[in-house]
């Protein structure tokens, strides 16, 4: 999870440099950055402004965010009254509807019901087709295969493998299995 935090600018690298071009939409934790005492409506404006949109741009996307998040009935309630699923839907809608150049996704697709996850995957597919760069950090091979044509496997902060997703996942699984076998052979 360090890489998405570095790319989003939440933390700075200890050494070296990192350059990101374009608008970054981090989906590191749904609802992260929401103010719990503000309403859903107020949080849409605050969150999307933080992601780089002007008030005019937010006004133009507001109804689309509300429709995507499916929280219309709770829009005027404080976010602290939302279920985690409602906050997840609102966070996802705010981030992906900013038309990001880079979308950072960190294990957040495990949140929400199946219908919402499928809606997210369809929307992410549209973003991919339009040229959005995805960085998905996950331990879920199915999610990686579904979303990513290419993958990078990081081990202890170093690139262990990169390339076509299925071959990188195969390498990861072989390495993980080898480590598991070696650890099970150690005496107690």
């Amino acid at each position: 999870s360090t890489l998405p935090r570095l790319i989003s600018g939440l933390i700075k690298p200890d050494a070296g440099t990192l350059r990101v071009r374009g608008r970054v939409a981090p989906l590191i934790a749904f609802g992260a950055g929401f103010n719990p005492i503000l309403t859903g409506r107020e949080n849409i404006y605050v969150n999307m402004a933080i992601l780089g949109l002007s008030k005019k741009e937010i006004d133009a996307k507001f109804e689309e965010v509300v429709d995507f998040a499916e929280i219309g009935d709770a829009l005027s309630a404080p976010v602290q009254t939302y279920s985690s699923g409602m906050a997840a839907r609102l966070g996802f809608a705010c981030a992906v509807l900013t038309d990001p150049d880079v979308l950072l996704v960190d294990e957040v697709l495990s949140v929400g019901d199946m219908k919402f996850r499928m809606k997210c995957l369809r929307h992410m597919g549209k973003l991919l087709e339009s040229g959005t760069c995805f960085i998905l950090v996950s331990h879920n091979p199915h999610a990686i295969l579904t979303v990513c044509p290419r993958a990078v496997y990081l081990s202890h902060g170093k690139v262990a493998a990169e390339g076509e997703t299925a071959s990188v996942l195969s390498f990861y699984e072989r390495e993980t299995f080898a480590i598991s076998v070696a650890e099970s052979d150690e005496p107690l």
Side-chain angles (χ1 to χ4, degrees):
S1 297
T2 302
L3 183 60
R5 289 178 178 187
L6 286 165
I7 293 168
S8 67
L10 292 174
I11 60 175
K12 301 294 179 203
D14 294 336
T17 59
L18 179 72
R19 276 179 248 163
V20 179
R21 287 178 289 182
R23 180 179 289 164
V24 176
L27 291 173
I28 295 173
F30 280 134
F34 284 160
N35 184 322
I37 62 171
L38 296 179
T39 66
R41 175 184 313 281
E42 293 164 332
N43 270 293
I44 290 171
Y45 278 91
V46 170
N47 192 272
M48 292 181 85
I50 290 169
L51 293 173
L53 273 67
S54 67
K55 183 177 181 317
K56 184 177 179 179
E57 290 171 312
I58 300 168
D59 288 341
K61 294 200 174 271
F62 185 83
E63 288 304 319
E64 188 178 3
V65 170
V66 173
D67 289 343
F68 193 97
E70 301 172 3
I71 61 151
D73 294 342
L75 199 57
S76 297
V79 168
Q80 66 189 1
T81 66
Y82 288 14
S83 68
S84 60
M86 291 169 68
R89 292 194 306 269
L90 186 58
F92 185 89
C94 287
V96 299
L97 294 174
T98 62
D99 299 323
D101 299 303
V102 179
L103 182 64
L104 300 173
V105 183
D106 185 5
E107 295 286 3
V108 291
L109 291 180
S110 60
V111 178
D113 61 28
M114 179 61 81
K115 179 182 167 203
F116 180 71
R117 285 195 305 267
M118 294 311 295
K119 185 177 186 176
C120 293
L121 288 171
R122 281 193 303 277
H123 192 80
M124 290 191 322
K126 290 177 188 174
L127 288 173
L128 259 177
E129 288 173 7
S130 71
T132 298
C133 172
F134 270 73
I135 299 175
L136 171 65
V137 177
S138 180
H139 292 94
N140 179 340
H142 180 70
I144 296 168
L145 282 167
T146 302
V147 176
C148 305
R150 294 185 44 78
V152 176
Y153 164 40
L154 299 176
S155 179
H156 304 289
K158 306 277 187 218
V159 175
E162 65 178 299
E164 187 267 327
T165 303
S167 64
V168 172
L169 283 173
S170 180
F171 178 84
Y172 168 76
E173 289 168 354
R174 284 191 311 273
E175 185 176 85
T176 303
F177 179 74
I179 291 168
S180 295
V181 169
E183 288 174 350
S184 68
D185 289 341
E186 292 178 6
L188 297 177

